[in-house]
């Protein structure tokens, strides 16, 4: 099988230019291409000489999570903007879970706090059905440091490529504000309810 790059139904976004999104979608498509490329390379190297190419094959396998998670994380990211911004439904199961975990501070303020971590990466909000709670984590490299098996509710890309067409690094906070201005919370609520 091969993976296909998804197309996303994105409206005009507030604080994120068409050029910014186009550049970022291009990067996403590069991940999809390389997921397919790694699978294909491993297949063909094995066919030619599995033993002789073992070292090369193992190195490609090591790279797979970088490409795969890069692909999938960007799908989580872009689908959050589909169909335009909506506020969190305060009567939703997600709203109850966030109040239980983050109290008066609230989820958005907590995500912004975590997003203030130095360095590039992602803020990822996970649901832990076994623990009956949420976790908000700063994930530096998307192939490392993710919480095993937990459904992803929200993914905030904090790599500089996500905003540097529109903002300089010192304006990261403005990008984060733009992210929330465009976030369709119903997507996040559906992920929580599907967990
Ligand atoms: Fe990105």
């Amino acid at each position: 099988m091969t993976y296909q790059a998804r197309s996303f139904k994105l409206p005009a976004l507030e604080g994120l230019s068409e050029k910014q999104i186009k550049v970022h979608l291009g990067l996403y498509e590069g991940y999809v291409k390389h997921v397919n490329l790694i699978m294909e390379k491993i297949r063909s190297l094995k066919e030619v000489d599995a033993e002789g190419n073992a070292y090369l094959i193992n190195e490609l396998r090591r790279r797979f999570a970088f490409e795969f998670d890069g692909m999938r994380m960007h799908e989580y990211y872009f689908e959050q903007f589909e169909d335009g911004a909506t506020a969190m439904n305060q009567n939703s199961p997600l709203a109850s879970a966030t109040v239980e975990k983050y109290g008066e501070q609230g989820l958005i303020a907590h995500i912004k706090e975590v997003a203030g971590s130095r360095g590039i990466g992602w803020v990822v909000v996970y649901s832990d059905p076994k623990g009956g709670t949420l976790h908000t984590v700063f994930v530096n490299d998307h192939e490392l440091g993710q919480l095993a098996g937990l459904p992803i509710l929200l993914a905030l890309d904090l790599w500089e490529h996500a905003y540097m067409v529109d903002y300089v690094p010192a304006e990261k906070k403005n990008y984060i504000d733009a992210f929330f201005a465009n976030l369709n919370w119903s997507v996040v609520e559906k992920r929580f309810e599907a967990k």
Side-chain angles (χ1 to χ4, degrees):
M1 61 81 68
T2 55
Y3 286 94
Q4 301 293 324
R6 284 177 50 185
S7 53
F8 301 92
K9 292 177 283 168
L10 300 179
L13 299 175
E14 195 182 315
L16 286 169
S17 67
E18 255 181 67
K19 186 178 176 191
Q20 174 67 73
I21 295 297
K22 194 170 171 221
V23 165
H24 203 175
L25 282 169
L27 184 129
Y28 157 64
E29 286 160 13
Y31 278 119
V32 179
K33 182 178 158 193
H34 282 84
V35 168
N36 292 326
L37 189 64
I38 285 187
M39 293 193 299
E40 175 52 35
K41 287 262 181 213
I42 291 173
R43 242 190 325 268
S44 60
L45 285 166
K46 274 182 88 168
E47 265 173 33
V48 172
D49 180 3
E51 207 180 321
N53 288 323
Y55 188 81
L56 196 46
I57 291 167
N58 289 343
E59 287 309 304
L60 287 170
R61 286 183 177 139
R62 256 189 250 281
R63 298 293 299 167
F64 185 71
F66 172 77
E67 304 295 357
F68 185 90
D69 286 4
M71 171 180 77
R72 194 50 50 84
M73 291 303 290
H74 284 94
E75 290 168 355
Y76 282 113
Y77 178 79
F78 286 114
E79 69 187 17
Q80 296 165 151
F81 298 140
E82 285 192 304
D83 300 322
T86 61
M88 191 196 292
N89 174 358
Q90 293 308 315
N91 299 315
S92 65
L94 175 66
S96 309
T98 62
V99 167
E100 197 174 311
K101 179 74 192 262
Y102 301 111
E104 278 185 25
Q105 183 191 26
L107 178 60
I108 295 175
H110 184 71
I111 291 170
K112 287 183 176 180
E113 184 188 314
V114 178
S117 306
R118 285 177 57 73
I120 48 90
W122 296 79
V123 176
V124 188
V125 181
Y126 301 89
S127 168
D128 178 10
K130 285 186 187 168
T133 190
L134 306 176
H135 293 292
T136 303
V137 174
F138 194 92
V139 176
N140 270 65
D141 298 311
H142 48 232
E143 75 277 28
L144 303 167
Q146 302 249 20
L147 303 186
L150 298 196
I152 290 174
L153 304 182
L154 182 146
L156 167 55
D157 193 344
L158 290 172
W159 284 70
E160 286 161 349
H161 66 246
Y163 59 88
M164 278 204 60
V165 173
D166 292 338
Y167 302 98
V168 299
E171 296 169 328
K172 188 167 90 169
K173 278 178 84 163
N174 302 36
Y175 158 68
I176 294 166
D177 287 341
F179 172 83
F180 282 109
N182 293 296
L183 182 59
N184 182 349
W185 277 100
S186 72
V187 173
V188 183
E189 286 162 2
K190 279 183 196 135
R191 288 173 184 164
F192 182 70
E193 283 159 38
K195 70 186 175 9

